[in-house]
Amino acid sequence: MPEPVSISLTVNGIAREGRCEPRKLLVDFIREDLELTGTHVGCEHGICGACTVIVNGEAARSCLMLAVQAEGAEILTIEGLAKDGKFHPLQEAFRQHHGLQCGFCTPGMLLTALDFLRVNPHPTELEIREGIAAVLCRCTGYQGIVKAVDAAAKELGRTTG
Amino acid sequence: MAFLRSPHAHARIGRVDLASARAMPGVVTCVTAADLRDTVRPLRAASRMTGYHATDLLPLAADKVRYQGEPVVAVVAESRYVAEDAVDAIAVEWSPLPPVPDARAAMAAESPLVHEEFGTNVILTRAFRHGDVDPALAGAALVVRERFRFRRHAALPIENRAALAAWNADGLTLWSSTQVPGMVRDALAESLAVPGHRIRVVAPDVGGGFGLKSSVYAEEIAVAALARRVGRPVKWIGDRREDLLASTQAWDEEIDATLALDGHGTIRGLRASVLADVGAYSIVPWTASIEVIQVISFLPGPYRVPAYLGEGAGVATNKAPMGPYRGVGRPVATFVMESLLDRAARRLGLDPREIRRRNFITEFPWRSPSGIVWDSGSFAETLDEAARLADWDGVRAAQSLRGDATRRLGVGVASYVELTGIGSAIPASPGADIATGTEGATVRVDPTGTVTASFGLACHGQGHETTLAQVVADTLGARLDDVRVVHGDTSAGPIGTGTYASRSAVLGGGAAILASRSVREKALAIAAHQLEADARDIELQESAAWVRGAPDRRVSLREIARSAYLGARRLPKGLEPGLEATRYYDPFFGTASSATHIAVVEVDLALGAVTVLRHVVVEDCGRVINPRIVEGQTIGGVAQGIGGALLEELVYDDQAQLATGSLMDYLPPTAWEIPPIVVRHLDRPSPSTIGGFKGVGEGGTIGAPAAIANAVSDALGSLGVEIAELPVTPDRIFRLLASRAPRTG
Ligand code: FES
Ligand code: FES
């Protein structure tokens, strides 16, 4: 077995360090070593999107990355989305529009939507559907999620001018 | 923990060499069935059905494997990575046997047997008879016949199954991603020979279930047995491949059906014979009958069927076991009946809506040909409203404008009625000895005036924390914010089985009302004593009680509760201290939810692709506790129905090897494939349940596949194509069109 390696990175604005085998997936490192279990695992082969986190500003599937590849990276997980005990407008919109049922897809869905709205701040409904098609939800039929992302886009557009 | 799972569909297990795996650093133990034989008893799903064969549920396969993915060796290690390394280091001597790849093959006289000791692969049969079907068919003006096929599906919750077991001096705690903690506790007590009160099963925040997590699984028993053996907590988190290979699968049936009608389109009789591929084992506790018997039970639908013969057979094959998936049998039954009606309407030149109106049951209560009692139903009303919302006539006009375009429009309807909130009269699994007909609630006001309502239910996305809190708050007269709902923990609530079969609002809600009423009555008595008034003159709302007409003579629920626990000194004479009640509810027959779905689709003839343009559901789910949650349940169900109708299929090859073992091959719908879904509720309280609730969790999935199939048949009607097989993938459409195309050259 190869020797464990050290990894330092910034997670949700906080410098973190850990040691793990070079083969360890980033998602397992986040969940097991950093004990941030809000990031979920649904397939480990890059399809479901449950493991989505933001790596250096862009959405990435943490099941398709090794932890060692995140050396020096800046990562945002779902635990870092709310600020000062206040929900992010996307989270608030998911709550308002029944954008979750079991909640298992929700962390990946929220971070995917965050990245999507960064790239496309004023999307149409079809663009939202295309944007969040990167994440599978088995509970909601997506309608509440589409509404929530639409509402959050409007709210973010209003607050950021 | 990780499992070595069988790579073969059917094979004898020879020598298993664990030596190198055991020697690996970080490996705690590796065990086979033989190592657990003395400490784990097999479980069997019992049933009184005649001709039924129960199979053993063991944590690990002994002697032979019967489906690809069946667990054979369990490895406990310091991490899943190490456990998987160890699995790779295990050598098994397999003697492959010829597999039984599907139900038809399994029926052949020369077929290998999945379970030799039964002498047959047919592990159950059942029939429902009503009236005399032969003369009805013989004398009918119109007879439509079809062989329908509904392919195998996966429920696919996004959270895979998982279990963690820990023992201490008090006994076992099992955390499991299950819908049925109560059933799992009872099963573990039996298989591990541990008293039930020493077992706690907790199912916190389960990531979706849809029926897949409502059976007892080998892995749950394995973690518990292994944790006892190694004296440390043991955890197994299934991955997606394990889920697709070894979770229960659904809906795999072939149905030969014949519908007889008179010249006006009035149904004279229905005959159906259903062949179900139930996979390798009869699941605990439901038995292998759960799907096929529901198909023949519900085939007559919301229609008057004077003569009926429905026969079903469950046949063992070398596939993962069949189990419940949202709708259980009813998506298949509805697909068959609604397709037959549309075929009849086409032959008779009737509007699909009209043929349904002519046959809807209009008198209630109505005893169906399979013995189910429909207490109510709003069939014609849901149909008319759905047609209006879907703009049925507009679609017809657009169709004639498009003519022979390569993108055809189609509109399809499906009406159904389903039994929800099933009580003890009709067990959720016929003949099986499971307490599916009752559920309890404990409502407790503590001395601070807040309310805890605990249930044996296990929510996994249905929003019970909201809806049941609403029911308790309304009934008791407490503030919603003061009510906390506790569920999914066998040691935190009354006895119950769990959440499945659209039962929680009806049974849990009913028990919550009964318990809240008892608590309210006592609170009123205490308040009356404190306020020196008659209990009949006390109002109790929003956690405060006052004398009617004198609102400043008031006490808070907190003051009432404090007195309740301070005892006799503060209480009316003879009143027992405490402010809590546990009540159980059995809705006996259950109640009838109904709906009409209408789908509008576009079929691209060149690509064979079907796009659902819109989908309308008008439903009668009784008194609505929370419209947003009902809508969410329905839309989510429709999305699964769309997946089931167009995209999703578990494909096994002729060696019974799963060809769709990842999400690259098994395709649940994304947001892109799901159209806007319109849902309307008719608020028609059930006449037979406490609270007037009817269940709604499964309905979306029941109606959607049938409506979509009918819409596709409608789009392709002029080409002579009628859909008889789901999912209707581009490949299937392409073949259907090719078989109809005039030959050239
Ligand atoms: S777990 Fe990473 S995409 Fe599914
Ligand atoms: S809310 Fe359950 S998977 Fe999306």
Side-chain angles (χ1 to χ4, degrees), chain A residues 23-25 28 42-45 47-48 96 98 101-102 104 126 129-130 132-133 136 138-143, chain B residues 81 85 154-156 159-160 207-208 210 239-240 325 460-461 628 632 635-636 640 648 663 669-671 674 677:
Chain A
R23 64 172 170 171
K24 190 159 203 171
L25 298 179
D28 291 338
C43 71
E44 290 171 280
H45 52 260
I47 302 292
C48 76
Q96 287 294 325
H98 200 30
Q101 288 179 24
C102 80
F104 195 81
L126 278 185
R129 284 189 180 272
E130 198 179 5
I132 63 163
L136 293 175
R138 194 59 157 168
C139 296
T140 63
Y142 303 104
Q143 198 146 306
Chain B
Y81 287 76
D85 289 346
L156 209 85
E159 180 196 45
N160 292 309
F210 319 113
D239 63 23
R240 184 57 65 191
Y325 172 30
H460 42 285
R628 183 166 281 187
I635 291 173
Q640 290 183 340
E648 298 175 35
L663 295 181
T670 71
I674 301 300
I677 297 162

Side-chain angles (χ1 to χ4, degrees), chain A residues 63-75:
Chain A
C63 76
L64 294 186
M65 277 179 78
L66 298 172
V68 289
Q69 292 175 289
E71 170 66 31
E74 236 174 82
I75 291 183

